[in-house]
Amino acid sequence: MVSSQRSTGRLRTALNRIAGATALAQVVAAGALMGYAAVKRRGRRPYRFPTAPVAPITAGPDEVSVFTFGRDLYEQMLADIGSATSTVYFETFIWKADEVGERFRQALVDAAARGVDVYVVWDQFANLVVDPRFFHHLDGVHTQSQPVVAMAMPSLRNIGRDHRKLLIVDSKVAYVGGYNIGSTYADRWRDTHAKVVGPSVADLENVFVDHWNQRPYASLARRRRIPELRSPGSRRWDTEIDVHRNTPRVAVYPIRNMYLEAIDRASERIWMTQAYLIPDHDVLAALHEACERGVDVRIIIPAESNHVVADWLSRGYYERLLGYGVHLLLYQGAMVHAKTCTIDGIWSTIGTANIDRMSLQGNYEVNISVIGDQVASQMEEIFGIDSRNCLELDADQWRDRSVMAKFTEALLAPWRPFF
């Protein structure tokens, strides 16, 4: 009996040591990758990637404009804020305290000064590196921020970040997509945003209003000081645009199902662009089944993203995806941050959610999906332009990658559920 207990104790000790050594190796590997990536990025010059012209497109009773260059988008957003007469609702994940960030802050303050009701939400964790004084000078603006830690309501539902990017002006125009606010994103990142004019603006406005009115993390005293917003008065059923929003607080994550349903319906082509591709089992299975049906599946991903660890976690799926018949296109020269997909020349989505666990089952996100051949045609044109700036990953070459690369992918694989 004593001998058995000693053996069990030795085994437990050995397993604990192995687990500790593995965790340490993972941390060291991640640190080394991040350090190497930082050195590579140092001194890198901006790359002028190809973009598509912006033109309004009809989608039922709505009008949609698709932006693929940050400077063009920011000028339009700032112009709309500058002409606002009643309300501005602004929500962002990252808001840099740089030239672009300051222009947005001043535009919002100026709008409030002329009597516009301005409401702003940002994520605290995403802006930890931003001087907090930047957010202290939003004079006249109603503000809320997603806290780093929701100590008042400890729950897995309350650790999701506010990853949405929304702007709604005067209930007449809305913007949604992948662009954060900052000078880097203006001309160094390839992203996609949509401008919507028409009845579907009310659905995007409702996303902001619901989030603002929840105020789950504010103290009781602060809740009394935060004005409650009225929901949009009229929302139509007959639009070709649907709005899908992930809301961790109530454990609702429809964007994942939106993708699964769309992929499952595909009969000809699935052309997708993703900043961080870390699919779960069901998404992998859906893509596999699509390839088996003869669907042309192409996914644009960054050759090197701004999150090197996410890159290595994503690479662990490449061999499987290539084996299914998926074409993986590596975007060159710039970070591609778009979260888009277009299927069969009829269905498209633009939004904030990546194909990873944090976006599909963790964060506050919002995507629009559009049924319509005109928007799909524009999205296919954009995909074609982006494809010409990509190198397709060769399956045989990828299988022959170094043993060290394969080892690093396997070592970091347990981190996938956290990304």
Side-chain angles (χ1 to χ4, degrees), residues 95 105 108-109 120 122 134-143:
W95 189 356
R105 184 177 68 169
L108 294 166
V109 170
V120 173
W122 69 89
F134 176 77
F135 299 105
H136 293 165
H137 299 287
L138 286 162
D139 302 327
V141 176
H142 303 288
T143 64

Side-chain angles (χ1 to χ4, degrees), residues 15-31 411-412 414-415:
L15 290 175
N16 287 339
R17 287 176 177 173
I18 292 171
T22 301
L24 178 61
Q26 290 170 338
V27 172
V28 170
L411 181 65
L412 295 176
W415 288 16

Side-chain angles (χ1 to χ4, degrees), residues 326-340:
V326 174
H327 299 273
L328 295 177
L329 309 175
L330 305 182
Y331 197 80
Q332 303 295 305
M335 169 61 187
V336 59
H337 191 250
K339 302 94 166 54
T340 64

Side-chain angles (χ1 to χ4, degrees), residues 10 19 24 64 67 71 133 135 239 257 267 276 302 320 328:
R10 291 193 192 101
L24 178 61
V64 178
F67 291 83
R71 289 204 182 278
R133 292 174 294 182
F135 299 105
T239 64
N257 194 59
S267 60
Y276 314 107
R320 199 182 320 179
L328 295 177

Side-chain angles (χ1 to χ4, degrees), residues 387-406:
S387 295
R388 293 192 286 273
N389 193 54
C390 293
L391 294 177
E392 183 167 355
L393 190 62
D394 180 85
D396 292 333
Q397 290 180 351
W398 182 250
R399 294 188 191 99
D400 291 338
R401 66 195 183 283
S402 70
V403 173
M404 181 57 69
K406 294 178 181 179

Side-chain angles (χ1 to χ4, degrees), residues 52 55-60 62-66 68 190 192 194 240-241 262 268-273 340-350 368-386:
I57 309 162
T58 299
D62 293 294
E63 182 181 88
V64 178
S65 300
V66 182
T68 59
R190 170 53 200 96
T192 302
E240 295 182 4
I241 298 177
E268 298 177 13
R269 55 193 176 276
I270 299 170
W271 293 355
M272 183 185 298
T273 303
T340 64
C341 184
T342 187
I343 295 179
D344 288 352
I346 188 65
W347 181 91
S348 305
T349 186
I350 300 169
I368 60 169
S369 63
V370 186
I371 301 292
D373 55 0
Q374 292 188 51
V375 172
S377 177
Q378 175 72 4
M379 296 302 293
E380 288 187 350
E381 179 183 345
I382 291 170
F383 191 91
I385 292 170
D386 289 337

